Amino acid sequence: MKLTTREDKGIVILEPKGKIMGGPDATLLHDKLHELINQGKKKVVIDLAKVDWMNSTGLGILISGLTTMRNNGGELKLANVTEKIQSLLTITKLITVFETFESVDQAVGSFN
């Protein structure tokens, strides 16, 4: 997984690309979220448009990220959830845990 970061209206947008399968991916996202928290940036959108696949470990990474942000007074939202990932979120009922949006703009706008 590759991870790029950008900001829009004070909201941090993380753009993972490839497969989210655990191992180094978990460390990468975990470290990035803690880096953002330390910088006082606690509103995060994860843009899943370029994520090809995610396994159960990948879902765990997202849950861990959400928990990390909420425990530090922040929020994490998902945007551009692909059909495959939407199916995973539905089957696992995590769709009720995450706020998901059809676009990054909608997710960013939801923070206001």
Side-chain angles (χ1 to χ4, degrees):
M1 175 184 77
K2 293 183 179 179
L3 185 64
T4 56
T5 307
R6 64 184 175 97
E7 278 192 51
D8 183 13
K9 301 171 188 168
I11 312 296
V12 177
I13 301 157
L14 299 178
E15 300 172 321
K17 182 179 181 182
K19 298 175 181 175
I20 302 179
M21 306 282 284
D25 297 341
T27 305
L28 182 63
L29 189 61
H30 178 268
D31 290 350
K32 175 53 80 176
L33 289 174
H34 279 278
E35 178 186 318
L36 293 171
I37 290 166
N38 289 337
Q39 295 172 356
K41 298 175 180 175
K42 298 179 180 178
K43 295 178 180 176
V44 176
V45 172
I46 298 182
D47 180 359
L48 296 172
K50 295 178 181 172
V51 174
D52 302 326
W53 179 246
M54 178 182 300
N55 64 8
S56 59
T57 305
L59 286 175
I61 293 169
L62 290 182
I63 295 166
S64 174
L66 178 65
T67 304
T68 297
M69 293 308 290
R70 285 186 177 167
N71 286 345
N72 287 281
E75 189 58 59
L76 184 151
K77 302 182 181 191
L78 304 179
N80 293 321
V81 179
T82 63
E83 194 173 317
K84 288 179 182 175
I85 296 172
Q86 178 82 23
S87 177
L88 278 175
L89 292 173
T90 302
I91 291 168
T92 57
K93 301 197 185 302
L94 290 173
I95 199 75
T96 60
V97 175
F98 287 100
E99 277 192 74
T100 62
F101 297 88
E102 291 184 14
S103 71
V104 169
D105 285 344
Q106 287 178 354
V108 168
S110 74
F111 280 103
N112 297 324

